[in-house]
Each structure stands twice: as structure tokens, then as C-alpha cells.
């Protein structure tokens, strides 16, 4: 089993920055992809950024140039650096891991088998 624990969420004014962290523990294997998703109550969960095992990144169009996904393998930690935050970025953010190859867009939630509990990000003036 794999455990994913997110942290780093909080409240920030528009234009501000936050860095989310996701610490992975449990079974040791090389994941196919790790990603960040977000969800607003009453809406579907959406993929924000993904980092596959080859080091390729995929971003939701609306966060390109503002968000950066990265990973520190020595610390078993996935990061999401979020800059120039907007009120529409307000959501619960989840970390996810794919244990198998998907063959599709890594921002699709069906590719992921392990999920964290989420960390809330609120962007408001």
C-alpha cells in the first residue's frame, strides 16, 4: 500500500504564492506518474499538473506558466509551486500516484490508484 500526505495549503490573496507538498510512503516501486488534482464542491475533480517517470510534465491550460510540478526522489516528496494565484484556483488539492502505465493523458483521474486526503487552497482578497 501507498500513503500520500499533502500539506502546504492555506489562504492567500490574489497574486500570491503557495507551495504544496506530498510525502509518499509505503510500498517501494517506481511510479508511472504522480500528479496534482483539485476539486471544488459540486464540481468534478480536475487534473492540474502531472509528472511522469520520464520527467515529462503536463499542465492544465489555465495554470501553465503559473504552476510548476516537481519531485525530490531523495525525500519521496512531490511539490506544486503555485504563483500568481487567482480566486478560481480555490479548491481542495489532492496528490495522486499511478502504479501502472495508462497510455493516455496523465491528467485523467482514472490513471491514478493512490490518493491523498487533500489540502485546501483558498485565494481571496
Amino acid at each position: 500500500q501507498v500513503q500520500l500526505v499533502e500539506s502546504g495549503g492555506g489562504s492567500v490573496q490574489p497574486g500570491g504564492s503557495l507551495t504544496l507538498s506530498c510525502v509518499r510512503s509505503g510500498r517501494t516501486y517506481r511510479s508511472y506518474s504522480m500528479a496534482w488534482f483539485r476539486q471544488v464542491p459540486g464540481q468534478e475533480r480536475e487534473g492540474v499538473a502531472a509528472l511522469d517517470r520520464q520527467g515529462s510534465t503536463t499542465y492544465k491550460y489555465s495554470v501553465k506558466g503559473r504552476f510548476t510540478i516537481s519531485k525530490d526522489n531523495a525525500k519521496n516528496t512531490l511539490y506544486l509551486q503555485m504563483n500568481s494565484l487567482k480566486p478560481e484556483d480555490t479548491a481542495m488539492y489532492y496528490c495522486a500516484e499511478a502504479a501502472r502505465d495508462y497510455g493516455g493523458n496523465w491528467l485523467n483521474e482514472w490513471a491514478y490508484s493512490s490518493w491523498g486526503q487533500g489540502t485546501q487552497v483558498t485565494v481571496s482578497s
Side-chain angles (χ1 to χ4, degrees):
Q1 257 191 337
V2 172
Q3 292 80 42
L4 302 172
V5 179
E6 304 96 333
S7 62
S11 295
V12 64
Q13 291 187 339
S17 298
L18 282 174
T19 300
L20 305 184
S21 300
C22 170
V23 178
R24 181 194 186 282
S25 62
R27 285 185 62 196
T28 301
Y29 56 81
R30 193 177 175 201
S31 61
Y32 278 83
S33 177
M34 293 193 73
W36 289 96
F37 287 77
R38 67 187 182 188
Q39 188 171 26
V40 175
Q43 297 184 20
E44 293 186 355
R45 187 160 51 187
E46 62 178 10
V48 175
L51 176 61
D52 69 18
R53 60 165 44 182
Q54 282 77 35
S56 296
T57 56
T58 306
Y59 292 96
K60 177 179 172 60
Y61 181 79
S62 63
V63 308
K64 279 184 178 180
R66 300 190 296 123
F67 290 12
T68 302
I69 188 171
S70 63
K71 189 178 179 185
D72 185 332
N73 290 322
K75 295 182 178 180
N76 290 321
T77 302
L78 181 74
Y79 300 99
L80 184 67
Q81 173 68 44
M82 304 185 293
N83 298 326
S84 302
L85 282 162
K86 304 176 180 180
E88 51 264 42
D89 295 319
T90 295
M92 184 71 79
Y93 282 71
Y94 298 91
C95 172
E97 180 186 69
R100 294 183 175 86
D101 196 5
Y102 177 59
N105 189 326
W106 282 117
L107 293 184
N108 190 322
E109 65 176 318
W110 299 108
Y112 297 88
S113 53
S114 298
W115 294 85
Q117 81 292 347
T119 186
Q120 177 68 36
V121 172
T122 302
V123 185
S124 172
S125 56

